[in-house]
Amino acid sequence: MEFNNVSKEHLEQFHSASESVDPSSVSPLVVNTIPKSPKSQKSYHGKNVLSKGSPSKGSPTQGSPSKGSPRKHDRHSHSGRDGRPKKGGYGGKGTWGGLLDTEDDIIDPNDPNYDSNEEKQLTITEPVPTKAFEEYKKKVTIIVEEYFATDDVVSTANELEELGMSDYNYYFVKKLLSLAMDRDDKEKEMAAVILSSLYANVLDPSQVHKGFSKLIESADDLIVDIPDTVDVLALFVARAVVDDILPPAFLKKQMASLSKDSKGVEVLVRAEKGYLAAPLHTEIIERKWNGNKNKTVDDVKANIKNLLIEYVLSGDKMEAFRCIHDLKVTFFHHEIVKRALTMAMENRASEHQLLDLLKEASEEGVINSSQMTKGFGRLIDMVDDLSLDILSARELLQSLISQAASEGWLCASSLKSLSLHSKKRLEDKTIRLFKIKVESVIKEYFLSGDILEAISDLESENCNSSAELSAIFVKKLITLAMDRKNREKEMASVLLTSLSFPPDGFVNGFLMLIESADDTALDNPAVVEDIAMFLARAVVDEVLAPQHLEEIGSEFSGKDSIGSKVFQMARSLLQPRLSSERILRCWGGGGSSKPGWEIEDAKDKIGKLLEEYESGGEAQEAFRCIKELGLPFFHHEVVKKALVTAMEKRNVRMWDFLVQSYSIGLITTTQMMKGFGRVADSLDDLALDVPDAGQQFAQYVDQAKNAGWLDSSFSSNRPAHVVENGISS
């Protein structure tokens, strides 16, 4: 059948349809470049021109002139239902394909209605789907299904290579991810793993990029069947960036090619802002589908040690780099640097080989400059310990630093100074024994909850008198608590409030904790949030003063450093009104192992314990009761009630109670200031019952200033401070 036989009326309908169709809406179904010679019609005659899939049931087939006639496509529905599929696509269930989906839509240059401009408009770049591609799609679907059933990466890679159609591998990427999106976390993790494994070896990078691009473009269609398409696909994109199979620039480049209101844009924004911008996003993303859940710090260290030993034996740098990449712990590469340098110092014969590995790893970008610097820095910190086994460790390390700096792969100016004379610190053996002892004390405390026993054990180790030992204990306590449930976290905070460590011990303990956060993150991806909460809780409990928090923050520069993130998060936790009460209950407690007290309950208990003390009770018992309340941020209530009682009953015993409370450190200067300020606020009401309340209060203020409780600027005639945390008198 010749195209010349088509009626003029039908050709006009065809022209009208081709002009009215939005080009962007027909991307999946396209017409190939129109041949200019009638002789070429035979090769196209009778074929369904689709870019994807086999012909639908409603598509015309070869050898059926009646069905292949363009007139046969000129149908009108009598049902009143629009047969076109959603979103401007074609080939939906129960439809006859698109307006341009005909087998004889070939323009004859000899036709009187022939228009060369129209031919140019219909010319597009998508290739016609071949039988080979259709066969590839069928086989790839089977390969993906088998992979999900067997979890055999090697077998899947072999089958994919045997197909011998690498130009179509983008479809494998798209099919793999689209099937995984509608399945469990297990299949999602398997899909991410195989893409990372086959990247650059079996799958060309351009095919991987194209597969992701196609999938993102189809997000609007996917969301019909997979409601959480945006979140799942965003996580796949973020995982691909983390696994180094998509460059970060892919997101912006892809976003520029999409319409602003498409779901694809939402996917890219979610990937960038929701996942890749989060603190410690690498660990969080990798564990989102329970991947690497059994990978611990010890496992990673063992793998690093093995790959370095294997490299020294074989000298194969590319294999070493592949092993480093397979570890997928870019944030822990400083361990590779530290261990390689240690091996070079221990075995001088392999020094050149190991330094050459680090140099090339830096030049190739396998290990970035910050990780390289951190690795050298860690070795500087432990050089004293290393000197016990390698007598010339300090001199050797200085030589390695000089060599690396001269070759240009280390910035020596960013390192700590390495003195050739060891600083005399506590004996290493003493510290090692202390760490073993305190770990036992902490674990026993978590089991028994006996604070007094824990304090007694620490006092026997002279922990209270040594800032260095105190810092080690603080770090160990919080590290062990973070790996446990909220009960242990609450118990750790309660124990910190009960200790009488030097201030430097608490500050240095938190500094050491933050510095080791990279290592801790392997076992605890939420380490930033946990440390920030412990830090904020320590400020609320007055374990740390606000200036100590600022001091800790000043030790870490750079917005992207973990220390800065912890500091900023802790400050944001402390800023809101009533933040103290919320932080106090962050782990379900109120400063004790029991649920937190309500403020009215706390006021009632404070009133009763002061009444008992006034009637002849012992001061030590009263102090114990105040400690058990576990509300150090509310001790200003004790000050207020004691002062009011002293003025109402002219009871000197209550003033003595405040003197003793301050002398043993139970009530701090800050709480004294708040308590006196609250009394100053209520003097007018108090004067109704105690006419000389103003005179008595002025005398107490003078005595408090002489004792150092109050600042000299405090005035008895006006409130010096507004009570914080939203707690009113």
Side-chain angles (χ1 to χ4, degrees):
M1 175 178 175
E2 294 295 327
F3 193 87
N4 291 354
N5 295 334
V6 179
S7 70
K8 180 179 181 181
E9 178 184 356
H10 190 75
L11 188 59
E12 289 175 353
Q13 291 176 356
F14 174 81
H15 290 172
S16 175
S18 64
E19 291 172 357
S20 63
V21 174
D22 182 3
S24 65
S25 68
V26 297
S27 58
L29 299 162
V30 294
V31 181
N32 193 37
T33 303
I34 306 301
K36 294 186 178 181
S37 172
K39 294 180 181 180
S40 64
Q41 292 179 15
K42 293 182 179 180
S43 62
Y44 286 85
H45 187 74
K47 289 186 179 180
N48 183 24
V49 187
L50 295 171
S51 65
K52 293 182 182 180
S54 57
S56 62
K57 291 181 181 180
S59 301
T61 56
Q62 188 175 0
S64 179
S66 62
K67 291 182 180 179
S69 170
R71 285 188 183 278
K72 207 68 180 175
H73 286 277
D74 187 17
R75 301 188 176 209
H76 299 280
S77 172
H78 298 286
S79 65
R81 176 183 175 186
D82 189 352
R84 292 173 296 174
K86 297 179 181 179
K87 298 179 175 44
Y90 303 115
K93 185 176 181 180
T95 68
W96 289 83
L99 290 170
L100 304 182
D101 185 15
T102 64
E103 66 181 17
D104 288 324
D105 290 340
I106 300 172
I107 299 175
D108 184 357
N110 297 320
D111 192 285
N113 293 315
Y114 170 72
D115 183 358
S116 61
N117 291 329
E118 179 185 271
E119 181 178 353
K120 293 178 182 178
Q121 291 173 357
L122 290 174
T123 301
I124 61 175
T125 58
E126 283 287 339
V128 176
T130 62
K131 289 183 178 179
F133 182 46
E134 297 300 329
E135 191 67 24
Y136 174 88
K137 288 163 65 177
K138 294 176 183 177
K139 290 181 178 179
V140 156
T141 303
I142 296 172
I143 289 173
V144 172
E145 293 287 1
E146 287 182 352
Y147 169 64
F148 285 150
T150 62
D151 196 14
D152 190 341
V153 174
V154 175
S155 176
T156 303
N158 291 336
E159 290 178 8
L160 200 58
E161 286 188 308
E162 286 172 4
L163 293 180
M165 291 184 277
S166 59
D167 289 343
Y168 296 137
N169 280 346
Y170 72 88
Y171 182 80
F172 168 78
V173 176
K174 181 182 177 184
K175 191 67 176 178
L176 173 75
L177 296 179
S178 61
L179 288 177
M181 286 171 64
D182 201 26
R183 304 201 180 193
D184 295 332
D185 285 353
K186 176 190 172 186
E187 284 78 11
K188 293 183 178 74
E189 178 65 20
M190 288 171 65
V193 167
I194 195 171
L195 285 182
S196 180
S197 302
L198 304 186
Y199 181 78
N201 296 320
V202 178
L203 299 175
D204 187 81
S206 63
Q207 293 292 312
V208 175
H209 297 176
K210 186 176 180 181
F212 271 95
S213 180
K214 294 273 187 189
L215 195 62
I216 293 169
E217 289 171 1
S218 65
D220 289 292
D221 297 325
L222 288 171
I223 204 166
V224 175
D225 298 317
I226 309 172
D228 57 348
T229 289
V230 172
D231 188 62
V232 176
L233 186 50
L235 189 51
F236 268 120
V237 172
R239 176 65 178 268
V241 173
V242 167
D243 288 345
D244 292 328
I245 63 176
L246 283 182
F250 171 85
L251 280 72
K252 290 185 179 179
K253 183 177 179 182
Q254 185 67 23
M255 199 176 297
S257 67
L258 299 170
S259 61
K260 293 183 179 179
D261 58 345
S262 70
K263 292 296 179 183
V265 171
E266 290 184 31
V267 168
L268 296 171
V269 171
R270 179 76 60 84
E272 183 178 11
K273 305 295 184 183
Y275 290 111
L276 295 172
L280 297 174
H281 61 271
T282 300
E283 307 86 79
I284 295 172
I285 291 171
E286 285 192 341
R287 297 185 184 212
K288 198 71 175 179
W289 295 317
N290 296 322
N292 295 329
K293 60 183 178 181
N294 295 321
K295 186 186 291 184
T296 65
V297 175
D298 291 336
D299 293 335
V300 175
K301 286 183 177 180
N303 290 336
I304 290 172
K305 180 180 179 181
N306 291 336
L307 77 86
L308 289 175
I309 292 174
E310 185 177 339
Y311 165 71
V312 170
L313 294 175
S314 67
D316 189 343
K317 288 180 189 171
M318 298 311 297
E319 177 64 16
F321 292 160
R322 186 192 66 78
C323 292
I324 291 173
H325 179 269
D326 288 347
L327 287 175
K328 292 183 174 58
V329 286
T330 54
F331 56 91
F332 199 55
H333 282 175
H334 55 81
E335 176 68 18
I336 300 173
V337 179
K338 188 204 84 169
R339 196 167 287 273
L341 292 172
T342 304
M343 288 176 64
M345 294 165 67
E346 291 174 341
N347 182 7
R348 300 300 303 280
S350 62
E351 177 182 324
H352 176 74
Q353 190 178 6
L354 288 164
L355 287 181
D356 196 39
L357 175 71
L358 293 180
K359 178 183 177 182
E360 191 161 334
S362 176
E363 292 172 348
E364 296 294 328
V366 177
I367 300 177
N368 61 43
S369 58
S370 64
Q371 292 293 308
M372 193 69 72
T373 302
K374 188 169 184 178
F376 273 90
R378 288 184 61 198
L379 204 59
I380 291 174
D381 290 337
M382 61 175 288
V383 70
D384 289 328
D385 294 338
L386 202 58
S387 297
L388 298 175
D389 300 317
I390 307 172
L391 297 179
S392 58
R394 192 174 291 274
E395 290 77 11
L396 287 173
L397 179 56
Q398 184 66 60
S399 173
L400 295 177
I401 292 173
S402 300
Q403 182 177 339
S406 65
E407 292 177 353
W409 52 278
L410 175 67
C411 180
S413 61
S414 60
L415 295 174
K416 301 175 184 177
S417 60
L418 178 62
S419 171
L420 294 180
H421 302 287
S422 177
K423 297 178 181 178
K424 193 65 178 174
R425 300 169 62 187
L426 288 172
E427 290 294 331
D428 298 294
K429 185 176 180 181
T430 304
I431 291 181
R432 290 184 185 130
L433 291 174
F434 176 75
K435 287 180 178 179
I436 295 172
K437 175 69 175 176
V438 296
E439 183 169 349
S440 175
V441 170
I442 292 168
K443 290 180 178 179
E444 186 176 340
Y445 166 64
F446 284 156
L447 289 173
S448 67
D450 192 337
I451 292 181
L452 296 179
E453 180 67 23
I455 293 174
S456 175
D457 290 339
L458 292 174
E459 287 176 348
S460 66
E461 296 294 327
N462 297 319
C463 201
N464 292 349
S465 59
S466 170
E468 187 171 0
L469 293 180
S470 300
I472 292 171
F473 175 80
V474 171
K475 179 195 171 188
K476 179 63 76 173
L477 174 67
I478 297 176
T479 301
L480 291 176
M482 286 194 299
D483 199 30
R484 287 168 168 77
K485 297 181 179 179
N486 285 347
R487 172 183 174 271
E488 285 77 12
K489 292 174 183 175
E490 177 67 21
M491 291 176 70
S493 289
V494 171
L495 180 56
L496 288 179
T497 63
S498 306
L499 299 174
S500 302
F501 287 174
D504 287 347
F506 289 114
V507 173
N508 293 335
F510 274 99
L511 285 173
M512 292 165 61
L513 184 67
I514 295 170
E515 288 171 355
S516 65
D518 278 331
D519 298 347
T520 310
L522 284 170
D523 297 320
N524 179 14
V527 64
V528 171
E529 292 81 356
D530 281 352
I531 296 178
M533 185 59 77
F534 270 110
L535 200 54
R537 176 65 180 270
V539 174
V540 169
D541 288 342
E542 296 192 353
V543 171
L544 294 175
Q547 60 265 31
H548 290 150
L549 180 62
E550 299 296 328
E551 181 183 337
I552 291 172
S554 67
E555 292 291 323
F556 302 97
S557 59
K559 294 182 179 179
D560 295 331
S561 68
I562 287 185
S564 294
K565 291 174 181 176
V566 169
F567 172 65
Q568 293 298 334
M569 188 172 292
R571 281 215 307 188
S572 65
L573 289 170
L574 290 164
Q575 284 174 353
R577 187 173 179 269
L578 298 175
S579 61
S580 293
E581 293 179 53
R582 285 195 290 270
I583 292 171
L584 194 70
R585 294 168 174 78
C586 61
W587 293 306
S592 68
S593 58
K594 299 178 181 180
W597 306 113
E598 294 296 337
I599 294 301
E600 292 304 320
D601 291 338
K603 288 182 177 181
D604 183 57
K605 291 179 183 295
I606 289 171
K608 288 180 179 179
L609 73 86
L610 289 177
E611 286 177 9
E612 185 176 341
Y613 171 75
E614 183 194 9
S615 62
E618 294 183 0
Q620 292 301 320
E621 178 64 19
F623 297 154
R624 186 187 64 78
C625 292
I626 291 174
K627 283 185 177 181
E628 285 184 353
L629 284 177
L631 299 171
F633 72 94
F634 198 49
H635 284 175
H636 53 78
E637 177 71 14
V638 178
V639 178
K640 179 198 169 190
K641 285 189 178 298
L643 281 173
V644 170
T645 302
M647 289 189 289
E648 286 179 342
K649 301 183 179 181
R650 303 182 186 278
N651 190 335
V652 181
R653 182 175 168 83
M654 296 307 296
W655 179 258
D656 292 338
F657 176 78
L658 290 178
V659 171
Q660 294 181 62
S661 298
Y662 181 81
S663 65
I664 65 172
L666 179 63
I667 299 179
T668 64
T669 303
T670 303
Q671 294 297 311
M672 283 289 187
M673 293 280 283
K674 289 180 183 179
F676 272 83
R678 291 180 62 196
V679 174
D681 287 341
S682 62
L683 273 179
D684 291 338
D685 294 335
L686 190 60
L688 297 176
D689 299 319
V690 185
D692 63 341
Q695 296 175 357
Q696 289 191 60
F697 182 64
Q699 293 174 1
Y700 284 130
V701 168
D702 290 339
Q703 293 181 51
K705 287 181 179 179
N706 293 333
W709 305 353
L710 302 178
D711 188 81
S712 58
S713 62
F714 185 91
S715 173
S716 60
N717 297 322
R718 61 181 178 82
H721 291 269
V722 177
V723 179
E724 297 179 4
N725 305 321
I727 299 174
S728 64
S729 58

